[in-house]
């Protein structure tokens, strides 16, 4: 049996060393030399000794490969299933990252407790009592979820061999360590080696594995970038802790689209799936307030109605302020320049503040018209009717440009009871059986006349 052999490599230039050194002699960088495995023991910890013979794979013609639809596991969470592309693929490796305290462990423990499949939840950060307290709050009655507090991969695979779980959850990959490498948990070499062992286990046993990953202050998943390349799916769990809503996005997905979006609401008994996010992102205020407009946007394949708030006031200080929350500040400056140059509105000496309610961030250009409508409403102090919404992009010439999938946006607005939607004149719309009135406009001046001038007159 071959013994484990290791060497030391510089992570910056790749120079090899026989022992650890503090500074690389080739590139002169400090603390970049880490230990890596060259050859390790030929053992498979999750298999018995008599079944460790490996079978070499054979090449097949592309026409001989079975192209039947892959089986997916329903994990009893519609939002999570949607982001994954329809469910969890057997043998896949899913990496979930997010800010500390955002609810990553709560989400995966909640999924593990709901499933009727045998699940092994491995925690390297919390004790069994802590997990038990959270489990009683989320889903007290479960007979199929096993809890293990362990950080050594060899011990974890021993328990896997005894339990034979259908799903494995690791919380988190940065806390694991293996005997094959003599470095602390969370180091680059430890994360890479532990992840490779879990990938081999998932592929050979056809067991799906879900990993929780810590993130750095820059928002990237901690550890080597190769970790994101190794796994099949990378999910990002985000949201403002001052708000109750959380958003689940797919940054990488080998088995589905990365455009899907899942929305949750944090409650005392766990995370609640939000099936109709438009209702929770719109305020329930019936009184007419100036500076508020509703935009029809699309996140992934899902249409959403979001509320945009704007405040325009005279600049108290010498330089006018431009502030945007949940919206690109550079695009806001561009729209203000278009209003001043093309439409004749003098906003250069006024402060402009913009906010997208609900704590979400949107980069869809289709909300441009709603942003301009909210700014003009606040500037004139004239409220926009609450049953009016917008879906159009603004060009630098002041023209209103068409957006994609406008019919889906119109149907969503019609379903939520809006009476009028403003879209570009260049959009081709074939809808007939809708109650909503579709206003076709081509310039910003057309919108101003219909929203504000007619009210003044």
């Amino acid at each position: 049996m071959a013994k484990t052999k290791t060497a030391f490599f510089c992570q910056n230039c790749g120079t090899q060393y026989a022992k650890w050194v503090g500074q690389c002699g080739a590139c002169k960088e400090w603390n970049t030399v880490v230990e890596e495995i060259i050859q390790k023991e030929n053992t498979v910890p999750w298999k018995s000794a008599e079944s460790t013979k490996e079978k070499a794979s054979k090449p097949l013609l592309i026409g001989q490969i079975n192209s039947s639809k892959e089986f997916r596991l329903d994990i009893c969470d519609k939002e999570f299933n949607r982001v994954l592309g329809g469910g969890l693929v057997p043998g896949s490796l899913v990496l979930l990252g997010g800010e500390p305290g955002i609810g990553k462990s709560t989400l995966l423990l909640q999924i593990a407790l709901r499933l009727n499949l045998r699940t092994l939840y491995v925690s390297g950060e919390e004790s069994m009592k802590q997990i038990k307290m959270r489990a009683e709050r989320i889903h007290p009655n479960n007979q199929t979820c096993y809890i293990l507090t362990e950080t050594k991969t060899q011990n974890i695979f021993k328990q896997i061999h005894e339990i034979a779980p259908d799903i494995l959850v690791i919380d988190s990959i940065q806390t694991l360590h293996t005997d094959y490498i003599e470095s602390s948990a969370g180091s680059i070499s430890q994360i890479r080696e532990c992840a490779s062992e879990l990938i081999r286990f998932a592929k050979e046993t056809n067991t799906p594995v879900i990993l929780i990953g810590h993130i750095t202050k820059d928002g990237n998943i901690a550890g080597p970038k190769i970790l994101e390349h190794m796994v099949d799916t990378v999910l990002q769990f985000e949201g403002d802790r001052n708000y109750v809503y959380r958003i689940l996005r797919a940054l990488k997905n080998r088995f589905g689209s990365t455009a899907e979006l899942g929305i949750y609401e944090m409650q005392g008994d766990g995370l609640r799936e939000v099936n109709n996010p438009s209702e929770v992102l719109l305020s329930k205020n019936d009184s007419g307030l100036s500076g508020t407009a509703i935009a029809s946007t699309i996140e992934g394949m899902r249409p959403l109605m979001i509320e945009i708030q704007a405040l325009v006031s005279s600049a108290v200080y010498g330089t006018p302020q431009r502030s945007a929350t949940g919206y690109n500040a550079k695009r806001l400056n561009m729209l203000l320049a278009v209003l001043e140059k093309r439409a004749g509105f003098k906003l250069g000496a006024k402060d402009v503040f913009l906010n997208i309610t609900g704590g979400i961030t949107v980069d869809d250009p289709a909300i441009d018209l709603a942003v301009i409508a909210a700014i003009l409403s606040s500037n004139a102090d004239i409220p926009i009717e609450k049953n009016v919404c917008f879906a159009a992009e603004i060009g630098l010439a002041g023209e209103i440009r068409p957006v994609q999938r406008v019919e889906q946006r119109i149907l969503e607005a019609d379903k939520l009871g809006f009476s009028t939607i403003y879209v570009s004149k260049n959009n081709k719309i074939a809808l007939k059986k809708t109650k909503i009135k579709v206003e076709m406009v081509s310039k910003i001046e057309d919108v101003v006349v219909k929203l504000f001038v007619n009210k003044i007159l």
Side-chain angles (χ1 to χ4, degrees):
M1 184 181 298
K3 294 184 177 180
T4 303
K5 294 182 180 180
T6 61
F8 294 85
F9 294 89
C10 175
Q11 300 299 292
N12 187 47
C13 65
T15 306
Q16 181 177 350
Y17 296 90
K19 62 180 182 179
W20 183 86
V21 293
Q23 184 185 32
C24 176
C27 63
K28 305 302 181 182
E29 292 290 332
W30 287 92
N31 298 323
T32 58
V33 178
V34 298
E35 185 180 19
E36 295 184 4
I37 292 177
I38 300 177
Q39 179 183 357
K40 67 178 183 180
E41 298 180 32
N42 188 19
T43 59
V44 185
W46 60 86
K47 292 185 179 181
S48 58
E50 59 271 10
S51 62
T52 56
K53 294 182 180 180
E54 297 184 2
K55 295 181 180 180
S57 59
K58 296 180 180 179
L60 291 175
L61 290 172
I62 192 168
Q64 296 176 341
I65 300 174
N66 185 9
S67 60
S68 60
K69 190 175 180 180
E70 59 193 7
F71 172 73
R72 291 178 182 261
L73 297 173
D74 184 5
I75 54 177
C76 302
D77 189 309
K78 293 181 180 179
E79 301 297 306
F80 208 96
N81 282 334
R82 177 187 290 109
V83 176
L84 289 177
L88 197 58
V89 177
S92 64
L93 210 77
V94 178
L95 178 62
L96 175 65
E99 291 281 348
I102 205 69
K104 303 183 297 296
S105 301
T106 301
L107 176 63
L108 293 188
L109 181 61
Q110 178 175 297
I111 291 173
L113 295 173
R114 287 180 179 178
L115 292 174
N116 292 323
L117 302 173
R118 187 183 295 108
T119 307
L120 178 59
Y121 186 96
V122 181
S123 176
E125 301 176 344
E126 298 176 297
S127 65
M128 288 188 175
K129 290 184 178 179
Q130 289 176 305
I131 300 174
K132 174 65 175 177
M133 292 170 60
R134 182 184 297 158
E136 288 180 344
R137 188 179 73 248
I138 297 174
H139 196 285
N141 299 320
N142 182 277
Q143 303 296 327
T144 59
C145 181
Y146 294 86
I147 305 297
L148 174 64
T149 54
E150 181 61 61
T151 58
K152 187 176 178 181
T153 57
Q154 284 72 26
N155 296 338
I156 293 173
F157 285 128
K158 287 180 183 177
Q159 300 301 322
I160 289 174
H161 180 65
E162 294 180 4
I163 298 175
D166 298 316
I167 296 178
L168 176 64
V169 179
I170 303 293
D171 182 11
S172 63
I173 184 64
Q174 279 80 12
T175 62
L176 299 188
H177 67 92
T178 177
D179 287 340
Y180 297 139
I181 294 179
E182 295 181 0
S183 60
S184 60
S187 61
I188 292 176
S189 53
Q190 283 284 5
I191 292 175
R192 182 166 47 201
E193 178 59 24
C194 293
S196 64
E197 290 182 9
L198 291 169
I199 289 174
R200 188 180 176 190
F201 159 73
K203 302 305 180 185
E204 293 188 6
T205 63
N206 212 29
T207 303
V209 179
I210 305 178
L211 308 175
I212 290 180
H214 297 166
I215 66 170
T216 62
K217 62 181 181 180
D218 298 327
N220 301 318
I221 296 179
K225 192 67 176 179
I226 194 174
L227 175 63
E228 299 181 40
H229 292 284
M230 293 166 68
V231 300
D232 298 309
T233 305
V234 179
L235 304 180
Q236 183 79 13
F237 200 46
E238 58 190 36
D240 193 336
R241 281 184 290 181
N242 297 322
Y243 293 89
V244 296
Y245 300 111
R246 304 288 187 266
I247 297 177
L248 183 67
R249 302 178 187 269
L251 305 181
K252 170 190 174 182
N253 193 356
R254 289 175 178 164
F255 308 109
S257 171
T258 57
E260 290 294 350
L261 185 79
I263 299 181
Y264 295 87
E265 182 183 3
M266 178 66 78
Q267 295 182 340
D269 56 351
L271 291 160
R272 183 184 71 85
E273 306 166 39
V274 178
N275 297 320
N276 189 5
S278 298
E279 292 184 356
V280 300
L281 295 176
L282 300 177
S283 66
K284 305 300 188 295
N285 194 353
D286 294 332
S287 60
L289 299 175
S290 63
T292 300
I294 307 300
S296 178
T297 182
I298 288 184
E299 285 286 343
M301 303 299 292
R302 166 185 283 188
L304 301 177
M305 306 300 292
I306 60 174
E307 181 177 336
I308 297 175
Q309 295 178 331
L311 177 63
V312 179
S313 62
S314 299
V316 179
Y317 306 101
T319 304
Q321 299 184 64
R322 304 284 189 262
S323 177
T325 303
Y327 188 71
N328 191 338
K330 292 183 178 180
R331 193 164 187 88
L332 172 61
N333 291 330
M334 184 200 75
L335 294 178
L336 293 174
V338 170
L339 278 177
E340 185 155 352
K341 177 72 175 179
R342 303 297 183 183
F345 289 93
K346 304 301 180 182
L347 301 174
K350 295 185 177 182
D351 294 334
V352 179
F353 303 94
L354 191 75
N355 176 47
I356 296 180
T357 60
I360 66 172
T361 301
V362 180
D363 55 2
D364 184 7
I367 71 173
D368 287 354
L369 186 56
V371 170
I372 280 186
I375 292 173
L376 295 179
S377 172
S378 177
N379 184 49
D381 200 18
I382 299 176
I384 299 173
E385 294 181 5
K386 63 179 181 178
N387 55 0
V388 174
C389 60
F390 306 86
E393 181 183 356
I394 302 297
L396 291 180
E399 80 279 15
I400 297 179
R401 302 175 60 85
V403 294
Q404 296 181 351
R405 293 158 58 188
V406 67
E407 294 183 354
Q408 190 175 356
R409 302 172 194 263
I410 294 173
L411 290 174
E412 177 71 9
D414 187 34
K415 184 178 70 174
L416 293 176
F418 287 88
S419 62
T420 307
I421 182 170
Y422 285 81
V423 300
S424 173
K425 212 168 190 177
N426 298 321
N427 270 121
K428 297 180 180 179
I429 303 173
L431 295 176
K432 295 181 179 179
K433 296 181 180 180
T434 55
K435 297 180 181 179
I436 191 170
K437 180 182 178 182
V438 180
E439 289 281 0
M440 312 289 283
V441 289
S442 60
K443 295 182 179 180
I444 297 177
E445 292 86 339
D446 300 339
V447 180
V448 174
V449 169
K450 293 185 178 182
L451 287 180
F452 307 111
V453 175
N454 291 338
K455 288 186 178 181
I456 296 176
L457 297 177

